[in-house]
Amino acid sequence: VAASPYWLWQAWAFIVPGLLPREKRWSRVFAAIAGPLFIAGVALGYYVLPKGLGVLIGFTPAGMENLVEFGDYFSFFSRMLLVFGIAVEIPFFLVLLNLAGVVSGAQLGRHRSIILMSAVVFAAVATPSTDPFSMLMLAIPMMVLFVLAEVVCRALDRRRARRSPAPVPLALGDED
């Protein structure tokens, strides 16, 4: 988690050589936002983890005890934090794809229902626990971040449209 700004930068540095100079300047913005965003997702996972474990342990019948090996607990713990950290990065990557011209805010708007349902499915599959609390605590922030990413992409598209010159229409008979 502490090294996430570094390895996220390394992932972006792998992509940077294929970008145009205009797109390369966004790599600093990526480093400034992606690291803290990942840490915020991990912090959310750290907050949700005890509540999710409480739900899972609550299924234990009266008079019985849960004995969890450390390796299993550590694997569960690290997967949960990693899933939450990566999940909050996905909407940020949509904004980066918009800046690169790959996806538009209008496309995100047209497919909003599919994207939001995919966030719920991702949360259901990705959370290592089977409790609905952990799934919802991952799905709801993801849906909010996807809608926020769509708003940012639409604003960037409007800004880009204002900066580009308007196309000059052809007069009749000038099709040659």
Side-chain angles (χ1 to χ4, degrees), residues 52-108:
L53 283 175
V55 170
L56 290 175
I57 292 173
F59 290 125
T60 305
M64 304 288 282
E65 282 190 37
N66 279 326
L67 297 175
V68 180
E69 292 183 24
F70 178 75
D72 293 337
Y73 175 75
F74 186 74
S75 174
F76 175 80
F77 180 80
S78 59
R79 278 187 290 158
M80 186 82 140
L81 296 184
L82 185 63
V83 162
F84 272 78
I86 290 173
V88 297
E89 293 286 339
I90 296 171
F92 179 63
F93 283 113
L94 283 177
V95 173
L96 290 176
L97 289 173
N98 176 267
L99 288 170
V102 176
V103 68
S104 70
Q107 288 173 322
L108 293 176

Side-chain angles (χ1 to χ4, degrees), residues 6 14 33 35 43 53 56 106 108 129 131 143-144 146 153 162 169:
Y6 178 75
F14 179 76
I33 295 174
L53 283 175
L56 290 175
L108 293 176
S129 63
D131 64 299
M143 290 191 295
V144 169
F146 275 123
C153 289
R162 279 194 307 262

Side-chain angles (χ1 to χ4, degrees), residues 94 103-121 139 142-154 158:
L94 283 177
V103 68
S104 70
Q107 288 173 322
L108 293 176
R110 279 194 305 273
H111 301 291
R112 183 183 309 124
S113 60
I114 295 169
I115 291 170
L116 295 179
M117 183 55 71
S118 299
V120 173
V121 170
M142 277 185 71
M143 290 191 295
V144 169
L145 288 172
F146 275 123
V147 170
L148 184 62
E150 179 189 341
V151 169
V152 169
C153 289
R154 286 181 184 266
R158 280 193 299 273

Side-chain angles (χ1 to χ4, degrees), residues 26-37:
W26 290 106
S27 62
R28 288 189 185 94
V29 174
F30 173 81
I33 295 174
L37 196 58

